Structures are given as C-alpha cells and as structure tokens.
C-alpha cells in the first residue's frame, strides 16, 4: 500500500483541505473512496474513540472510516480529508453548512483528476461521513459515482438538532466536547452548543444544513440501524425513500454504531455495490433485494428481503389507549389519565410482527401553554420485563422512541403520512389552557416481533435523563408534561398506529 499524507487540495475560494491518500501498490489507476470529517484524519482510533475492540486492528484505522488495508487490497484508493477549520485544514469552521459541502465537492473532483485515479469516486463512511455523503450527492459533482451512507442523517433539524422540536442537549454537549473541540484549529466559526439553542424553530440556519433529496441522483446504498433511535435511523430510511436515485438499496441492521459496517456481510455488500458503479461490473448487484431488514425477535434477528419500505402488505392498525391498557378495541367511555403514564397490551396469543414507522395520536390538555411528549415503545417478555434494543454503544435502548413539543403540533398535510406525520416546526402555536388538543407524534420506525405471551408497552415520560447523552435536558428549553391530562375514549380517543406485518 502506498500512502501520501497531508496533501493540500485546493478549493474554489483558494483555501486548502488536507487529505491522506492510500493507494494500491503499482501504477494502475484505481477508483477512489473518499470521506471528510472534523474528527481528525490522523487520529488513530484508540487514541480517542470507543469500541476499538469491535473493529480490525491496524495502524491506519480511524473512527468511522473505511479500512485502507482492506480496500486497497481490493483495488481501491482511499482518501480521508480533514474538514475546514479542523485537523490540518485551515480556515473557518462551518460544520455541515454550504461551504462544508462545497469543500467535499472540490475534494471529490480533485481526486477524480489525479493520475492514480480512474476518475470515478464514491463517498463512504459511518455517521458524519455518511451525512456528508448525502450532502455532497445533492451538489452533484460530475465524478461522484456512488454513495454508501451508513447510519447517516439527511434532515438536520428533525434528526440532529431538534427531534420533535426538543433540543438534543445531551448529545450536542457530549459530541462537541469529545469530537469537535480536540480537532479545531481556532475559534473562528460557530459553536453549536451556543448557536443551536438560539434557533428553536426550523429557520434558515437549519435549512442550510438539510439535504435536498430531490437532487440526490447517484446510486445509493443506505444502511440504517434499529438501535440508532436518536440521530441516524430516520435519516437513512427517509433518505432512501425520498432520494431521486434510480438505483438505491436500503439495509436496516442491528448492533452497535460501529461494528456492522466492518462485518463480513457488510463489507461484501459494499464491495459488490462499489464494483458495480466504480468498476463497471454490471452484474455485481444482481439478486440484491432493494430492501434487506433484520426483523427483530427480541435480541435475535431474522433477515427479510423486500421490494419497498414500509413493507408491502403492511396493515396499519390502531391500538387504543385506555386507562392503563392498549387494546385493538376502542374504550366505550371517555376517561382521563394523568401524564406520565404507561399503557400495556394484553399478552398476545400468537406471533405478532410490527415492522415499520409508528405514530401516536394523543389528546392532551394542560394548565400551561406548552409541554413535551416523550414516547417510548417497549417489548415485554412473558414475565413483563422489557427486552431492550441494542444501542449505539451496545447498551440497552427502547425499541422505539418519538418526541413532540405541543406548540410544534401543526402538520403539513401534503407531506404527512398516517404513520409518519410531518411537522413544519416553523412557528409555535401555544396550547389553550384546559382545552383538549390533538398531538400527532412521529415515532421513528421499529421492528418488534412479539411471541405468544409477550406484550407491547407505550411509555409517556416527562424526561429522558436516564438515556444520558441522548437526553433532551437543556435547563431552560425543557417543557415537562408533568400533571397534564391524557384523554382516552369518547370523542377524544387516543391511539397508537402500528404496522402489522402479515405472517
């Protein structure tokens, strides 16, 4: 393997981006796999990041990036770049903004013009690297031939900054301190910990950082993780659904935030995909279904192939909230339940698969003019104990989550779907104290298969501090719903809309 370090790549405004290039031995031109991030192209994985025990160990492993040794051995060049204002790239930090995306465009085009390159470039990587893959694809650089977006994001406001209108305080504080500060080259540029709390609505700051999926036309391999409930799951599914690409595949897996990308099955799929579009081997993706999903049976999975998502044949059914229960039959009389609250189904009599997006139609009233709904869906075993999903670091997480600030309850009828309400988040509409009001809460997609004797639980909680870095716990931006009234039955019947997949 040949290595060129700290190459200065010129950008359109005259600034430079520092890159490392790993190339196969010999003089034969190779297709290029490129990535860019603010995490440090030179930072060896164990120096700062967790989960090194679940990835290959070598001197060239860098957090969330492809393994140069593996890919150069298969005839690919690998390029890693430092985001402007981080690592060895000078300039003003503009994370995920227009300039950040344009810099990646310029890196892609530079790579395509090098004598060691065939002129075909793909973006690949996990998380931030996948997010930048979606971003650069929307700019349509001529030599970008494909994108592997592994647990990324496409909607900055809804998936990264304000889920359901709730600020992602725990994550931003943790992530910025651990990932961004150590690599910054100066103080010029926004610090999201200071800036984002000043932008609680979906304004131009957020729009400038949201991917226009109508402009994503290159072939895409999008991989989501059921356990990435807080940042990545929705983005990769929505990205796949809404991208304009004619050739696109969706994989939804389980595991930590890291290890699936480097697993044998995933590398084989990535290699087939890149061989197809960067090496002009048209048969390499033959037989690969458009959708591949790890259907969860507790902590076990059964893989399913499909043509679309939500899965064809899905029946959308209402589980009605009662005073303590969830039932397929609506309660006969109206009742009131105090928030927070828990609702359980009866034990199922036969296997029940719920795979797809979920929505909660919740009628509430309160003394104040605003509140936050934090919804969790749990899988209970025959003894009533939760069966958790696998979270990003390997720890337990609920099987599904959703959020909504009541003052953000307006929906866009043209973009909403029954199981995926779409909230513009562009203005606040206060509650009228004491007046029952309908909230349509988007709960991110899930896969839960209940065995006979098991149950489904809906939890409506007032805070999520137990989720630590996933908490929405900013001291002045929280609107706890403690003591609010949940209306069930009668004219204000609340229900959970679930995706029932036929056996």
């Amino acid at each position: 393997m040949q290595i060129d370090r700290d190459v200065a790549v010129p950008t359109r405004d005259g600034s430079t981006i520092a890159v490392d290039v790993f190339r196969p031995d010999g003089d034969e031109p190779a297709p290029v796999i490129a990535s860019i991030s603010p995490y440090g192209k030179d930072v060896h994985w164990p120096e700062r990041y967790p989960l090194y025990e679940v990835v290959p160990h070598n001197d060239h492993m860098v957090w969330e990036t492809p393994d140069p040794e593996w890919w150069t051995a298969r005839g690919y060049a690998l390029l890693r770049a430092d985001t402007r204002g981080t690592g060895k790239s000078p300039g003003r930090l503009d994370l995920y903004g227009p300039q950040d995306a344009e810099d990646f465009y310029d890196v892609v085009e530079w790579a395509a013009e090098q004598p060691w390159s065939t002129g075909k470039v793909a973006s690949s990587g996990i998380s931030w690297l996948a997010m930048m893959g979606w971003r650069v694809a929307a700019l349509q650089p001529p030599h970008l031939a494909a994108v592997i977006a592994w647990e990324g994001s496409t909607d900055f406001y809804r998936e990264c900054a304000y889920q359901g209108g709730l600020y992602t305080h725990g994550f931003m504080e943790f992530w910025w301190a651990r990932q961004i500060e150590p690599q910054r080259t100066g103080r010029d540029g926004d610090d999201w910990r200071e800036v984002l709390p000043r932008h609680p609505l979906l304004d131009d700051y957020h729009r400038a950082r949201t991917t226009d999926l109508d402009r994503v036309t290159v072939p895409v391999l999008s991989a989501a993780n059921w356990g990435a409930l807080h940042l990545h799951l929705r983005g990769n599914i929505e990205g796949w659904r809404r991208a304009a690409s004619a050739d696109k595949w969706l994989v939804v897996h389980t595991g930590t935030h890291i290890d699936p990308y480097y697993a044998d099955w995933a590398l084989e799929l990535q290699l087939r995909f890149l061989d197809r579009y960067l090496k002009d081997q048209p048969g390499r993706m033959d037989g690969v279904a458009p959708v591949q999903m790890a259907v969860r049976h507790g902590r076990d999975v059964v893989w399913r192939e499909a043509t679309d998502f939500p899965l064809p044949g899905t029946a959308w059914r209402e589980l009605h909230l009662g005073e303590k229960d969830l039932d397929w039959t609506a309660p006969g009389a109206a009742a009131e339940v105090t928030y927070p609250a828990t609702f359980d189904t009866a034990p199922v009599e036969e296997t029940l698969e719920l795979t797809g997006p979920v929505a909660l139609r919740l009628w509430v009233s309160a003394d104040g003019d605003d509140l936050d709904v934090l919804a969790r869906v749990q899988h209970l075993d025959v003894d009533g104990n939760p069966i958790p999903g696998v979270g990003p670091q390997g720890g337990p997480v609920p099987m599904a989550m959703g959020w909504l600030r009541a003052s953000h309850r307006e929906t866009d009828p043209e973009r909403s779907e029954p199981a995926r309400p779409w909230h513009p988040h562009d203005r606040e509409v206060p509650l009228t104290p004491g007046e029952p009001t309908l909230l349509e809460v988007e709960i991110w997609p899930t896969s839960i298969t209940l065995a006979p004797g098991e149950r489904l639980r809906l939890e409506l909680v007032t805070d999520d501090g137990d989720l630590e870095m996933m908490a929405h716990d900013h001291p002045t931006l929280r609107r706890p719903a403690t003591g609010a009234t949940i209306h069930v039955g009668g004219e204000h019947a609340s229900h959970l809309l679930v995706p029932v997949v036929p056996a």
Side-chain angles (χ1 to χ4, degrees):
M1 181 170 65
Q2 306 174 73
I3 305 175
D4 301 314
R5 295 197 181 276
D6 302 330
V7 180
V9 175
T11 64
R12 64 192 68 187
D13 69 353
S15 188
T16 58
I17 297 296
V19 308
D20 291 345
V21 180
F22 304 82
R23 297 182 284 120
D25 290 328
D27 298 326
E28 190 73 21
V32 184
I33 304 171
S35 63
I36 189 169
S37 90
Y39 300 157
K41 65 179 178 59
D42 299 318
V43 178
H44 190 216
W45 193 309
E47 290 179 28
R48 194 164 76 241
Y49 300 110
L51 300 174
Y52 191 55
E53 71 277 5
V54 301
V55 302
H57 284 209
N58 65 63
D59 292 340
H60 307 295
M61 287 299 292
V62 168
W63 175 251
E64 298 184 337
T65 65
D67 177 358
E69 292 189 1
W70 198 91
W71 285 100
T72 56
R74 287 155 181 82
Y76 286 87
L78 201 70
L79 182 152
R80 294 198 293 233
D82 281 338
T83 294
R84 183 186 298 224
T86 70
K88 294 179 179 177
S89 294
R92 181 184 186 276
L93 186 69
D94 180 37
L95 277 187
Y96 213 50
Q99 186 176 73
D100 208 6
E102 289 171 358
D103 284 347
F104 196 18
Y105 178 116
D106 295 342
V107 167
V108 166
E109 290 303 296
W110 175 87
E113 295 167 358
Q114 301 312 300
W116 44 260
S117 168
T118 63
K120 291 197 172 184
V121 184
S123 169
S124 182
I126 308 170
S127 192
W128 185 271
L129 292 83
M131 293 163 64
M132 291 302 299
W134 287 112
R135 292 284 280 160
V136 76
L139 296 183
Q140 300 181 349
H143 292 92
L144 184 71
V147 168
I148 296 176
W150 206 275
E151 294 197 41
S153 178
T154 55
D155 189 322
F156 183 72
Y157 183 91
R158 294 175 179 85
E159 294 152 10
C160 300
Y162 281 87
Q163 291 145 358
L166 281 63
Y167 175 51
T168 58
H169 177 246
F171 176 75
M172 286 300 171
E173 291 289 323
F174 165 85
W175 173 75
W176 194 276
R178 184 184 182 106
Q179 314 284 61
I180 305 304
E181 282 300 319
Q183 289 300 311
R184 291 191 70 171
T185 59
R187 308 319 303 167
D188 192 15
D190 290 344
D191 184 326
W192 281 356
R193 296 171 297 181
E194 300 171 359
V195 173
L196 291 179
R198 301 199 296 265
H199 294 267
L201 296 176
L202 203 167
D203 58 14
D204 288 344
Y205 191 87
H206 299 288
R207 292 187 189 99
R209 289 161 174 78
T210 296
T211 300
D212 183 354
L213 291 167
D214 289 337
R215 290 185 52 79
V216 175
T217 58
V218 297
V220 171
L221 174 59
S222 177
N225 187 333
W226 292 126
L229 296 171
H230 183 259
L231 180 62
H232 298 302
L233 172 63
R234 182 187 189 275
N236 270 79
I237 290 177
E238 284 292 312
W240 175 83
R241 291 187 69 201
R242 295 170 46 219
S245 307
D247 298 338
K248 55 185 180 179
W249 286 264
L250 174 67
V251 179
V252 189
H253 57 265
T254 62
T256 75
H257 180 50
I258 293 297
D259 60 282
Y261 180 74
Y262 301 96
D264 289 343
W265 68 265
L267 289 171
E268 174 60 25
L269 180 60
Q270 295 169 48
L271 182 62
R272 291 179 66 175
F273 176 76
L274 294 183
D275 283 351
R276 167 66 181 86
Y277 294 103
L278 269 67
K279 290 189 174 181
D280 296 321
Q281 298 177 11
R284 288 287 276 150
M285 290 298 283
D286 288 356
V288 178
V291 176
Q292 301 174 69
M293 293 204 156
V295 176
R296 293 189 293 190
H297 295 249
R299 282 284 181 116
D300 297 324
V301 301
V302 175
W303 283 90
R304 172 185 284 121
E305 296 182 347
T307 57
D308 203 357
F309 185 80
L311 298 172
T314 297
W316 303 100
R317 296 189 60 189
E318 297 175 357
L319 276 169
H320 298 271
L321 279 62
E323 293 188 52
K324 292 184 178 180
D325 61 315
L326 285 172
D327 199 278
W328 302 114
T329 302
E336 297 179 351
V337 179
T338 301
Y339 198 111
T342 298
F343 308 86
D344 290 355
T345 66
V348 300
E349 297 180 358
E350 57 186 24
T351 300
L352 175 66
E353 181 188 334
L354 308 173
T355 296
V358 180
L360 173 64
R361 291 175 57 86
L362 188 72
W363 284 91
V364 299
S365 58
D367 294 335
D369 63 0
D370 210 353
L371 57 84
D372 294 337
V373 171
L374 295 88
R376 301 178 180 183
V377 179
Q378 304 276 17
H379 180 179
L380 305 183
D381 66 19
V382 294
D383 296 319
N385 300 311
I387 302 173
V390 180
Q393 303 298 316
V397 293
M399 295 298 263
M401 293 195 295
W403 312 263
L404 184 64
R405 175 153 292 171
S407 60
H408 289 226
R409 65 188 177 277
E410 286 187 321
T411 58
D412 182 339
E414 293 186 0
R415 302 193 72 173
S416 291
E417 300 170 2
R420 203 276 335 261
W422 188 278
H423 302 91
H425 295 293
D426 55 7
R427 68 169 186 155
E428 294 182 343
V429 181
L431 293 171
T432 300
E435 180 179 301
T437 303
L438 177 63
L439 308 181
E440 298 184 59
V441 184
E442 176 185 5
I443 295 177
W444 288 12
T446 189
S447 177
I448 303 170
T449 305
L450 303 176
E454 297 179 342
R455 289 177 284 168
L456 194 73
R457 169 173 289 174
L458 171 67
E459 298 174 344
L460 300 178
V461 301
T462 56
D463 67 77
D464 54 4
D466 59 317
L467 297 179
E468 298 178 344
M469 72 172 180
M470 299 168 75
H472 302 77
D473 60 356
H474 190 280
T476 64
L477 296 179
R478 297 177 62 236
R479 303 290 183 268
T482 306
T485 298
I486 301 167
H487 298 268
V488 301
E491 64 176 330
H492 298 131
S494 298
H495 71 256
L496 189 69
L497 187 66
V498 296
V500 178
V501 178

